[in-house]
Amino acid sequence: MIVDLRSDTVTVPTKKMLEFMMDSKVGDDVYGEDPAVNLLQTKVASMFGKDVGMFFPSGTMANQTAIKLHTNPGDQVICDKYSHIYNYEGGGASFNSGVSFNLIDGKRGMFNSDQALNSINPKDFYHSPLSKLIAIENTTNKGGGACWDIGELKKIQKVANSNNLGMHLDGARIWNAIVHKNDNPLEIGKIFDTISVCLSKGLGCPIGSVLIGNSKIMSNALRIRKILGGGMRQAGYLASAGIYALENNLSRLSEDHQRAREIGEVLAKSTYVKSVEKIETNIVIFELNKEINDSSFIDKLKRLNIKLISMGSNKLRLVTHLNYTNIHHDYFLSSIKSL
Ligand SMILES: *Cc1c(COP(=O)(O)O)cnc(C)c1O
């Protein structure tokens, strides 16, 4: 048995999901003729009250497309210093859109409306880059699965509106926030101009993301996805996994959250752990005591067939998911207790 807690992306499709995928009706999506892709796109868009959805092979490509939709070369994007678009997309925002970032020093990947306001460059001060977009991540990845407060998001939206800035949500794990906070997706949809969501994380699909927005901003998205090489043909087999996951794997995310909390409780009591960050959803970040080296700790767990990753500064991350079952959970908890 291998317990893989490196990420919620390590899930493999279940037999039922595969059967549903195999039954998919497909067509050439570059001609807009794939019924399953069209259904998934409509389904996700309407969940959040948006007109248009577009299927993407990855969350990175969906985010990169969104940044391009909102900006021109030379513009600036405001986001938290922990953001995925800044840290983990290979520098794509500068490569694809020619933009720079104004990073906010937030808490657990989140900031407030005052910080957003203070990060906007004055429009007529032409020496600094033109601020164009506020990008928010919910839940935060590097921030340990933290969930935003809808009230704060609304305040940030006001700041964006009164300064002519776009609002993008990197919602790779928005499902976890919706399940944990009982947020209404329609309310989230009203706050953002564009939202990217991942199907390949908590929802257990092998691949896929969807970018949604209203038709005006999305009118150029097809061209940008084409330029980035994201036009796919009979993608309905993959989109069907998303349709299946939205119907079957959404509410069960609370089980992942529960297991993450239980792991956190054991870690907090362990002598080798300095601290455990607050756990809200399926991500657990903890710091080892100074005298313990993180890579030798990871190696030790690897010998027990347990995998997790380092976040730097002696912090480790683990993520619970669909394929992390009770059997894995029991084995993992007893393993970390006996270290
Ligand atoms: C995983 C992730 C993405 C997209 O990742 P892909 O691997 O490209 O699908 C985007 N944002 C966040 C916050 C993520 O965790």
Side-chain angles (χ1 to χ4, degrees), residues 3-59:
V3 179
D4 195 343
L5 291 162
R6 287 172 300 171
S7 176
D8 43 9
T9 55
V10 301
T11 54
V12 292
T14 57
K15 195 156 179 278
K16 276 188 176 166
M17 181 183 273
L18 281 171
E19 279 165 5
F20 192 84
M21 291 165 71
M22 295 295 278
D23 282 342
S24 182
K25 301 240 180 330
V26 294
D28 190 334
D29 181 52
V30 169
Y31 292 106
E33 290 173 0
D34 190 297
V37 170
N38 290 335
L39 177 60
L40 172 71
Q41 291 178 160
T42 313
K43 207 175 163 68
V44 177
S46 58
M47 249 180 110
F48 291 87
K50 296 293 190 197
D51 303 342
V52 181
M54 199 170 289
F55 188 49
F56 280 82
S58 73

Side-chain angles (χ1 to χ4, degrees), residues 67-335:
I67 293 169
K68 186 73 194 148
L69 289 176
H70 285 279
T71 62
N72 290 309
D75 290 346
Q76 198 161 66
V77 177
I78 295 167
C79 64
D80 188 89
K81 65 179 190 296
Y82 278 0
S83 298
H84 194 277
I85 57 167
Y86 173 71
N87 290 290
Y88 304 125
E89 299 193 1
S94 14
F95 189 88
N96 297 313
S97 299
V99 295
S100 60
F101 287 102
N102 196 355
L103 298 177
I104 297 180
D105 186 17
K107 284 207 179 81
R108 303 169 71 222
M110 303 182 290
F111 48 87
N112 60 40
S113 57
D114 291 336
Q115 288 174 299
L117 183 62
N118 290 334
S119 305
I120 300 172
N121 296 327
K123 211 177 165 185
D124 27 6
F125 188 68
Y126 59 85
H127 305 276
S128 32
L130 184 64
S131 310
K132 266 291 182 62
L133 173 66
I134 298 178
I136 278 165
E137 197 173 301
N138 197 14
T139 71
T140 64
N141 178 341
K142 203 174 156 68
C147 302
W148 285 73
D149 169 56
I150 295 278
E152 198 60 47
L153 291 177
K154 285 181 179 165
K155 283 192 205 160
I156 295 174
Q157 179 193 22
K158 273 201 185 134
V159 168
N161 285 351
S162 48
N163 289 278
N164 243 333
L165 306 188
M167 288 278 284
H168 173 65
L169 173 64
D170 176 351
R173 293 191 181 82
I174 192 64
W175 317 114
N176 297 86
I178 288 170
V179 167
H180 175 63
K181 303 261 291 184
N182 209 12
D183 290 335
N184 180 355
L186 291 172
E187 207 176 355
I188 297 171
K190 278 190 205 137
I191 298 171
F192 295 95
D193 303 304
T194 50
I195 301 177
S196 65
V197 302
C198 278
L199 305 163
S200 55
K201 294 197 166 149
L203 295 185
C205 296
I207 184 172
S209 275
V210 181
L211 179 68
I212 59 169
N214 283 339
S215 41
K216 187 158 177 253
I217 182 138
M218 289 295 284
S219 63
N220 207 25
L222 204 55
R223 171 173 292 274
I224 295 167
R225 190 184 68 176
K226 175 72 188 177
I227 292 168
L228 297 177
M232 297 183 284
R233 301 292 179 175
Q234 283 72 28
Y237 294 114
L238 303 171
S240 285
I243 295 166
Y244 178 88
L246 287 171
E247 280 163 14
N248 296 281
N249 295 345
L250 192 51
S251 61
R252 65 151 303 285
L253 287 172
S254 57
E255 295 172 29
D256 298 344
H257 301 171
Q258 174 64 26
R259 291 191 186 111
R261 272 197 300 276
E262 288 166 9
I263 292 170
E265 281 161 20
V266 173
L267 287 172
K269 285 184 213 144
S270 303
T271 51
Y272 50 89
V273 171
K274 185 176 171 203
S275 61
V276 182
E277 290 182 14
K278 186 179 168 191
I279 297 163
E280 290 185 67
T281 53
N282 66 330
I283 301 178
V284 180
I285 295 178
F286 63 99
E287 190 176 343
L288 294 168
N289 279 334
K290 255 208 223 72
E291 56 285 2
I292 299 164
N293 173 273
D294 59 350
S295 53
S296 52
F297 186 82
I298 287 174
D299 285 344
K300 197 176 190 178
L301 286 176
K302 214 184 255 166
R303 287 193 290 275
L304 297 169
N305 286 328
I306 295 165
K307 295 180 183 179
L308 37 83
I309 62 165
S310 167
M311 299 289 278
S313 345
N314 236 22
K315 283 185 183 177
L316 300 178
R317 186 191 79 168
L318 57 89
V319 189
T320 57
H321 53 75
L322 185 60
N323 291 162
Y324 177 72
T325 61
N326 268 336
I327 301 167
H328 299 116
H329 192 49
D330 292 343
Y331 173 71
F332 180 64
L333 290 183
S334 65
S335 302

